């Protein structure tokens, strides 16, 4: 299925969202241009988000991931997330939702290249990605551009669309695999297999923080959730993510607070507690030291 959309208001954004959620769960491509768009928290099939022009923000486990020009994000099947666009210029993006049956075909066909695409059996998914921004390779960018141009020119049969999405999916799996290997090389472990295993466990640590950031977290709890010793957690977390666990927790809490300041009318005191800060006063001091604005001033400048 193909959806072409121009969105410049909250009403149109919600109409498009409702139409999409009521559509059949088959291969779906959304070609959108928007200055204002806000899709509420939801989950769906595994999907690829790509930007031709401009930036869209996605919120996955309270973590903000921005998709900029020529970059992409894969959101796994069943993962809750929301998205927003606030821009004075048109943002042009492509979203592809893959039919689960096509994922199975790609996983079977590209088993060697896709080995890292399903690194954690507990997820129960045939294809799985680390949810981080990816830089599209020239080949992947070209395939996405040709798909968009073809769809804009004339309708595609389901067969033709499925064939094109199959090749895009294989390229995406390869791009993801190489990105994981490149990023894992930052870790100081000697063996490549050890680096990849530590990489996997560090992402478990980050996911645990993302989901539990509003709670009183301890190193013991984070290390236990990621099956790492506290020594390995402290040493390798900074190597991979450029922050210590404590700094990352603080960043996640601030990001959640910023989102609620701009997307809700909750009192600042409630927002500070929801985000996991011990008191509104400590939250206010930290917020102003980071953004050079009080929470109230930030809300006035950035609210919808």
């Amino acid at each position: 299925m193909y959806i072409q959309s121009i969105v410049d208001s909250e009403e149109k954004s919600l109409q498009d969202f409702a139409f999409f959620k009521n559509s059949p769960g088959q291969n779906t491509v959304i070609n959108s241009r928007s200055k204002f768009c806000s899709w509420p928290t939801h989950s769906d099939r595994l999907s690829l988000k790509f930007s031709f022009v401009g930036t869209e923000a996605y919120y996955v486990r309270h973590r903000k991931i921005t998709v900029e020009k020529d970059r992409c994000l894969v959101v796994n099947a069943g993962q809750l997330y929301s998205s927003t666009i606030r821009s004075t210029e048109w943002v042009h993006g492509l979203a592809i939702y893959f039919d689960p049956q096509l994922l199975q075909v790609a996983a079977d066909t590209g088993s060697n290249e896709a080995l890292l695409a399903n690194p954690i059996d507990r997820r129960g998914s045939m294809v799985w990605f680390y949810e981080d921004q990816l830089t599209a390779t020239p080949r992947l960018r070209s395939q996405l551009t040709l798909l968009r141009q073809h769809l804009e020119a004339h309708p595609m049969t389901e067969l033709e669309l499925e064939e094109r999405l199959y090749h895009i999916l294989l390229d995406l799996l390869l791009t993801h695999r190489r990105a994981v290997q490149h990023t894992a090389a930052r870790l100081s472990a000697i063996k490549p297999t050890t680096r990849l295993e530590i990489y996997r466990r560090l992402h478990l640590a980050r996911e645990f923080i993302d989901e539990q950031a509003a709670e009183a977290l301890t190193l013991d709890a984070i290390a236990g959730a990621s099956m790492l010793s506290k020594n390995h957690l402290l040493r390798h977390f900074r190597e991979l993510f450029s922050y210590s666990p404590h700094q990352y927790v603080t960043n996640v809490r601030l990001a959640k607070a910023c989102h609620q300041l701009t997307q809700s009318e909750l009192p600042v005191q409630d927002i500070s507690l929801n985000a996991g800060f011990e008191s509104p006063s400590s939250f206010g001091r930290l917020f102003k030291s980071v953004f050079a604005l009080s929470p109230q001033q930030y809300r006035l400048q950035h609210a919808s």
Side-chain angles (χ1 to χ4, degrees), residues 183-213:
T183 307
R186 299 177 193 168
L187 301 173
S188 55
I190 297 174
K191 295 181 179 180
T193 53
T194 303
R195 287 199 297 268
L196 290 173
E197 179 59 22
I198 293 173
Y199 181 96
R200 180 183 74 86
R201 297 188 185 194
L202 289 170
H203 275 78
L204 289 177
R206 189 177 70 173
E207 286 182 14
F208 180 77
I209 292 172
D210 288 341
E211 293 169 353
Q212 304 293 325

Side-chain angles (χ1 to χ4, degrees), residues 5-9 32-36 52-55 85 87-93:
S5 177
I6 297 177
V7 183
D8 59 1
S9 69
S32 65
R33 289 173 172 82
S34 177
K35 291 184 179 181
F36 178 98
F52 294 106
V53 178
T55 301
I85 293 174
S87 176
T88 56
E89 305 295 331
W90 289 103
V91 176
H92 187 187

Side-chain angles (χ1 to χ4, degrees), residues 87-104:
S87 176
T88 56
E89 305 295 331
W90 289 103
V91 176
H92 187 187
L94 200 70
I96 301 174
Y97 295 80
F98 295 96
D99 187 322
Q101 293 183 359
L102 182 62
L103 295 180
Q104 182 64 66

Side-chain angles (χ1 to χ4, degrees), residues 267-299:
V268 171
Q269 180 174 348
D270 291 351
I271 289 174
S272 69
L273 297 176
N274 289 344
F277 293 98
E278 293 183 358
S279 69
S281 59
S282 62
F283 164 66
R285 288 193 298 271
L286 175 64
F287 195 96
K288 191 163 188 177
S289 71
V290 173
F291 298 104
L293 294 169
S294 70
Q296 294 89 340
Q297 291 169 330
Y298 184 92
R299 168 174 270 169

Side-chain angles (χ1 to χ4, degrees), residues 10-281:
E10 182 174 11
E11 182 181 5
K12 183 63 167 63
S13 173
L14 293 176
Q15 285 176 355
D16 282 3
F17 177 75
F19 175 78
F20 167 71
K21 295 303 288 184
N22 288 324
S23 302
Q26 58 195 38
N27 290 313
T28 302
V29 179
I30 301 177
N31 179 15
S32 65
R33 289 173 172 82
S34 177
K35 291 184 179 181
F36 178 98
C37 185
S38 181
W39 278 28
T41 301
H42 66 287
S43 65
D44 211 286
R45 293 148 285 168
L46 183 141
S47 60
L48 166 67
K49 323 294 186 182
F50 179 79
S51 173
F52 294 106
V53 178
T55 301
E56 185 164 6
Y58 292 86
Y59 298 87
V60 183
R61 297 190 194 90
H62 308 299
R63 182 162 56 95
K64 181 180 180 180
I65 306 172
T66 56
V67 177
E68 301 164 343
K69 183 179 184 294
D70 291 337
R71 298 200 174 186
C72 55
L73 167 69
V74 179
V75 179
N76 291 301
Q79 174 60 56
L80 290 170
Y81 70 102
S82 61
S83 63
T84 60
I85 293 174
R86 301 285 188 276
S87 176
T88 56
E89 305 295 331
W90 289 103
V91 176
H92 187 187
L94 200 70
I96 301 174
Y97 295 80
F98 295 96
D99 187 322
Q101 293 183 359
L102 182 62
L103 295 180
Q104 182 64 66
V105 172
D108 292 342
T109 305
S111 57
N112 291 330
E113 295 294 355
L115 185 60
L116 285 175
N118 189 18
I120 307 174
D121 290 341
R122 68 172 174 82
R123 298 177 184 275
S125 175
M126 65 193 80
V127 173
W128 183 88
F129 289 77
Y130 292 108
E131 285 157 333
D132 285 310
Q133 186 179 140
L134 281 172
T135 299
T137 62
R139 178 181 170 86
L140 182 57
R141 286 201 304 271
S142 175
Q143 290 212 62
L144 293 170
T145 301
L146 288 173
L147 174 67
R148 186 203 77 206
Q149 291 173 343
H150 196 120
L151 286 168
E152 288 176 344
H154 59 78
M156 270 189 193
T157 65
E158 284 298 319
L159 176 59
E160 185 180 7
L161 178 61
E162 186 169 27
E163 288 180 356
R164 286 178 177 265
L165 294 188
Y166 168 77
H167 292 291
I168 287 171
L169 187 54
L170 288 185
D171 275 349
L172 189 59
L173 287 167
L174 180 58
T175 300
H176 175 251
R177 176 178 184 266
R178 289 175 174 170
V180 168
Q181 291 176 329
H182 176 75
T183 307
R186 299 177 193 168
L187 301 173
S188 55
I190 297 174
K191 295 181 179 180
T193 53
T194 303
R195 287 199 297 268
L196 290 173
E197 179 59 22
I198 293 173
Y199 181 96
R200 180 183 74 86
R201 297 188 185 194
L202 289 170
H203 275 78
L204 289 177
R206 189 177 70 173
E207 286 182 14
F208 180 77
I209 292 172
D210 288 341
E211 293 169 353
Q212 304 293 325
E215 307 301 324
L217 291 173
T218 65
L219 276 177
D220 283 329
I222 300 170
S226 57
M227 298 173 286
L228 287 167
S229 69
K230 288 195 286 187
N231 175 53
H232 280 90
L233 175 66
L234 288 168
R235 180 154 59 99
H236 294 305
F237 196 95
R238 184 184 289 274
E239 285 180 339
L240 187 60
F241 300 122
S242 302
Y243 297 103
S244 71
H246 171 70
Q247 290 170 329
Y248 185 77
V249 170
T250 300
N251 289 344
V252 170
R253 289 172 175 171
L254 284 172
K256 183 177 181 180
C258 287
H259 186 61
Q260 291 195 347
L261 283 168
T262 58
Q263 302 298 316
S264 78
E265 297 180 356
L266 288 172
V268 171
Q269 180 174 348
D270 291 351
I271 289 174
S272 69
L273 297 176
N274 289 344
F277 293 98
E278 293 183 358
S279 69
S281 59

